[in-house]
Every structure is written in structure tokens, then in C-alpha cells.
């Protein structure tokens, strides 16, 4: 695996991810504003082309670094969040029957995408989502500490 090729593909992956969220935000905003919004043909085709490049880069990066979803928890978390993002995007663009449904799906899609980015940078699937109960300090063995 060439380090230069890996870095190039990683850069393309990051750039296409940025374009993806920008285009989704624009199309989703237009759909929230006007449920009858029909994007021009190029705006219907371009996101699919961009997302295909994004997915191909992701597959290359995962396989060449041997960080497959089956064996790497943070990659698995990204794949699950990607499925949620795609599903919520479909609700926003096609299946929502009301503006409220569209707003909720749009917010969930943006949150899913944000989670994907956070996990990509930290490589920690829980990334701040742990329950505060888990992080609580253990109780002291000396019961008199509570009587003072």
C-alpha cells in the first residue's frame, strides 16, 4: 500500500464527505421550505455520483488499512450511522408526509452525519455518549463519610 495513494484517497474521502453534507443541507433546506421543491436534474444526479466516490474511497481505506466493520467497532458504528443517515435522508426527500416529519428526519440525518465525523476523528464509537452513571466514582467504603 502506497502511503501517498492512501493519503490522496483519504483526502478525496474527506472532500466528498464535505460536499455530501453541503448538498444534503441545501436540498433538505429547500425541501423544508417548499415540500414541492424539485431540484434541477444535475442536483439529482450529482449527489449520487459524489456519494459513490465517497463510498468507493471508504471501502478502499477500510480494506487497505484492514479496519473492516466486522473487526473494528468504530468502523461498525460509522456503517450503522451511515444507514441511519441514508434512511433519514430518504424520509426528508421522499417519504415525509408532514413538515414535522421532515424536520425531525432532517435533524436526525444531520446528527447521524455529525456522529460519523466525530467517530472518524476520535475512532471511539461511544465518543461522549456514555451514561454518566458509568463514569461515576465508586462509593467510599467508609460509611461515616456520609454522616458528616
Amino acid at each position: 500500500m502506497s502511503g501517498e495513494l492512501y493519503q490522496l484517497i483519504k483526502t478525496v474521502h474527506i472532500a466528498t464527505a464535505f460536499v455530501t453534507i453541503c448538498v444534503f443541507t441545501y436540498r433538505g433546506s429547500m425541501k423544508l421550505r417548499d415540500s414541492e421543491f424539485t431540484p434541477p436534474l444535475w442536483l439529482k444526479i450529482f449527489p449520487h455520483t459524489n456519494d459513490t466516490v465517497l463510498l468507493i474511497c471508504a471501502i478502499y481505506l477500510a480494506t487497505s488499512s484492514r479496519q473492516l466493520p466486522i473487526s473494528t467497532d468504530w468502523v461498525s458504528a460509522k456503517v450503522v450511522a451511515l444507514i441511519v443517515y441514508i434512511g433519514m435522508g430518504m424520509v426528508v426527500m421522499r417519504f415525509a408526509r408532514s413538515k414535522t416529519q421532515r424536520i425531525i428526519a432532517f435533524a436526525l440525518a444531520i446528527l447521524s452525519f455529525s456522529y460519523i465525523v466525530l467517530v472518524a476523528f476520535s475512532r471511539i464509537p461511544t465518543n461522549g455518549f456514555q451514561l454518566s452513571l458509568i463514569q461515576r466514582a465508586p462509593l467510599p467504603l467508609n460509611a461515616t463519610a456520609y454522616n458528616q
Side-chain angles (χ1 to χ4, degrees):
M1 163 177 62
S2 165
E4 290 178 12
L5 179 60
Y6 185 88
Q7 284 304 321
L8 174 65
I9 302 239
K10 185 176 177 182
T11 301
V12 171
H13 179 71
I14 292 167
T16 53
F18 178 74
V19 169
T20 290
I21 197 60
C22 289
V23 171
F24 175 75
T25 301
Y26 172 74
R27 289 182 66 201
S29 299
M30 295 306 291
K31 206 68 166 154
L32 288 174
R33 226 168 115 197
D34 175 16
S35 63
E36 300 300 317
F37 171 73
T38 304
L41 183 61
W42 73 269
L43 195 53
K44 285 183 176 181
I45 295 170
F46 176 73
H48 298 293
T49 306
N50 183 73
D51 292 347
T52 300
V53 173
L54 176 62
L55 184 59
I56 290 169
C57 289
I59 291 168
Y60 173 83
L61 293 170
T63 56
S64 66
S65 63
R66 293 186 173 92
Q67 295 180 342
L68 303 175
I70 297 167
S71 61
T72 311
D73 58 353
W74 68 272
V75 177
S76 299
K78 284 179 62 175
V79 170
V80 170
L82 175 64
I83 292 167
V84 171
Y85 169 75
I86 292 169
M88 292 299 102
M90 290 174 64
V91 171
V92 171
M93 300 301 169
R94 294 185 193 158
F95 301 121
R97 298 187 190 276
S98 69
K99 190 168 186 170
T100 303
Q101 289 177 347
R102 194 167 272 122
I103 290 169
I104 292 169
F106 184 74
L108 290 173
I110 297 293
L111 281 172
S112 297
F113 190 90
S114 301
Y115 174 76
I116 292 168
V117 172
L118 287 171
V119 171
F121 281 110
S122 69
R123 296 184 179 202
I124 301 170
T126 53
N127 201 11
F129 294 103
Q130 296 103 335
L131 295 175
S132 61
L133 296 174
I134 295 171
Q135 297 176 351
R136 197 174 283 176
L139 295 173
L141 296 175
N142 183 353
T144 58
Y146 290 108
N147 295 332
Q148 298 175 355

